[in-house]
Amino acid sequence: MSDTFTVTEIDSELGCPGASSFVQVQLNDLTDYPLPERSPPPPAIVPSKYRNYAQQIHDFKVYEDDVWIVTFPKCGTTWTQEMVWLIDHELDYHTARDVNLNSRSVFLEIGAIGERIPVDTVTAAANVKRPRHIKSHLPLALLPRQLWTVKPKIIYVARNPKDVAVSYLYHYQMIMGYRGTREAFLEGLLQDRVMFCPQVQHALDFWALKNEPNVLFLTYERMKQDLRSVLPRVCEFFGKSYTDSQLDELAEHLSFDRMKKNPSTNNEQMVRSAMKMNGREEEHFEFMRKGIVGDFRNELSEEYIEKFDTFIEHQLAGSDFRYDL
């Protein structure tokens, strides 16, 4: 590891087949870092495997015609990928049906974090035919530094941490193979010790860039409340113009029920493979589970709702950003 980063091993109760150990990665080289008023950036939590890819991702070549979709996990990433790809590709439903979303909009760092994934997805993403659509959950400080000089289009989506907590827990259990307690996972989020944390800061860094012409900041809740009203804003961002009937059709295509039934977007094959790898192949789990805003009220105890409220309030102190729920 070069002087670009400081990497520190951490003790974690959240080890699992998908990632048995974790490190804290601190960015030291602030060349091209876009938030000089907040330096140094907070360290990020990633699986230990990531240390082998940190510099490669930092130096990843970015092109102006790239499109980057960045989110904390479980914030509507797949939904946003499909929306953005179709808007940017003249509503080409034929290709969207025939080519899996994961091939059309590639996951940059999955091979750099997944302990049992043997593919170098960073190199694979670099070699995708341009113009590239690339997805990442990495916090701003760990993303390629050329993002801030080349300035391709970046779409960021934030979601209320309480709903994220519930969805991320199920994902960790079924996709990552986590078998620890529910309480340990929730406490891990509250202590910013879960993969891709710190969570609120993840959103705040992009909120600080919301007025940059190449950055579009969206929220999961607004998309769920009225996706049809969000679509024209995304179209404008891409310099695209579609008729009202075309946007109505797109909104229907992007509805939760349609996405969940769509083999190109529902990640069923990935889920089955991950669950088999982690010894959960006999259990039932769907990547698109509920998609409900406020489902945390059905899943979290009053104690944890209060803990998350306090956590969020503390994290947002001094910022004008507020989650929609």
Side-chain angles (χ1 to χ4, degrees):
M1 181 66 66
S2 70
D3 294 337
T4 305
F5 300 98
T6 297
V7 179
T8 308
E9 299 279 352
I10 63 170
D11 293 327
S12 176
E13 298 180 37
L14 304 179
C16 52
S20 60
S21 61
F22 296 86
V23 292
Q24 184 173 269
V25 180
Q26 174 73 61
L27 175 66
N28 299 323
D29 179 6
L30 301 185
T31 305
D32 301 325
Y33 182 67
L35 301 173
E37 73 281 1
R38 189 186 300 130
S39 72
I45 305 299
V46 284
S48 298
K49 183 181 179 182
Y50 185 84
R51 69 166 74 237
N52 302 321
Y53 293 88
Q55 191 68 45
Q56 183 182 352
I57 291 175
H58 187 67
D59 295 333
F60 187 88
K61 186 170 180 58
V62 173
Y63 298 99
E64 191 175 353
D65 59 0
D66 282 348
V67 174
W68 289 70
I69 296 95
V70 182
T71 71
F72 192 80
K74 314 313 295 180
C75 290
T77 323
T78 302
W79 190 22
T80 305
Q81 287 173 273
E82 180 76 349
M83 172 183 68
V84 166
W85 190 91
L86 283 165
I87 287 174
D88 193 36
H89 288 83
E90 315 304 329
L91 305 181
D92 182 0
Y93 294 107
H94 178 77
T95 301
R97 181 185 65 246
D98 292 349
V99 180
N100 190 278
L101 178 60
N102 293 322
S103 297
R104 292 182 277 122
S105 186
V106 298
F107 191 174
L108 175 70
E109 72 272 6
I110 184 63
I113 61 169
E115 202 158 292
R116 297 183 176 183
I117 297 176
V119 181
D120 176 0
T121 57
V122 181
T123 297
N127 293 327
V128 168
K129 183 181 177 182
R130 294 171 57 191
R132 308 176 302 188
H133 277 226
I134 299 175
K135 151 194 166 179
S136 179
H137 293 314
L138 292 171
L140 186 149
L142 298 191
L143 286 165
R145 63 180 178 179
Q146 285 190 5
L147 282 175
W148 321 120
T149 54
V150 177
K151 298 189 175 182
K153 285 183 167 54
I154 302 171
I155 298 88
Y156 187 86
V157 186
R159 187 184 187 187
N160 185 285
K162 290 175 285 189
D163 277 335
V164 169
V166 173
S167 187
Y168 204 6
L169 171 62
Y170 283 109
H171 178 98
Y172 234 72
Q173 290 172 328
M174 296 302 180
I175 304 300
M176 301 289 290
Y178 173 68
R179 286 173 170 75
T181 67
R182 181 186 186 92
E183 290 72 25
F185 184 83
L186 295 176
E187 291 294 335
L189 282 174
L190 290 165
Q191 296 165 18
D192 273 331
R193 305 276 283 183
V194 178
M195 183 167 62
F196 298 118
C197 281
Q199 180 181 359
V200 176
Q201 193 64 56
H202 200 292
L204 288 181
D205 283 349
F206 280 90
W207 180 251
L209 300 176
K210 67 184 182 300
N211 293 324
E212 293 293 320
N214 67 308
V215 176
L216 180 63
F217 190 102
L218 303 174
T219 70
Y220 180 91
E221 290 77 16
R222 176 68 189 277
M223 290 168 65
K224 285 295 294 185
Q225 180 184 26
D226 187 3
L227 179 64
R228 179 61 179 78
S229 72
V230 174
L231 293 178
R233 187 178 167 206
V234 182
C235 291
E236 181 181 5
F237 182 67
F238 281 94
K240 302 288 185 178
S241 180
Y242 299 112
T243 66
D244 286 345
S245 61
Q246 285 177 311
L247 293 181
D248 290 343
E249 181 183 10
L250 179 58
E252 175 60 26
H253 174 84
L254 294 169
S255 68
F256 184 80
D257 288 343
R258 286 277 296 273
M259 290 278 289
K260 189 171 183 176
K261 295 173 183 176
N262 183 350
S264 181
T265 60
N266 63 15
N267 282 324
E268 183 175 354
Q269 186 174 355
M270 180 275 289
V271 167
R272 295 302 132 218
S273 175
M275 290 177 67
K276 182 176 182 180
M277 194 180 298
N278 296 324
R280 289 186 177 271
E281 65 268 31
E282 301 302 321
E283 301 180 54
H284 177 74
F285 176 72
E286 294 175 309
F287 188 82
M288 294 184 178
R289 202 175 53 86
K290 288 186 179 180
I292 298 173
V293 171
D295 189 45
F296 69 86
R297 297 188 185 93
N298 302 316
E299 298 276 355
L300 297 181
S301 66
E302 286 299 324
E303 176 190 2
Y304 272 106
I305 291 175
E306 290 179 10
K307 283 186 174 184
F308 272 98
D309 285 340
T310 300
F311 168 76
I312 294 167
E313 182 180 6
H314 175 75
Q315 293 283 315
L316 293 180
S319 171
D320 61 350
F321 174 66
R322 294 296 179 269
Y323 289 101
D324 283 341
L325 178 67

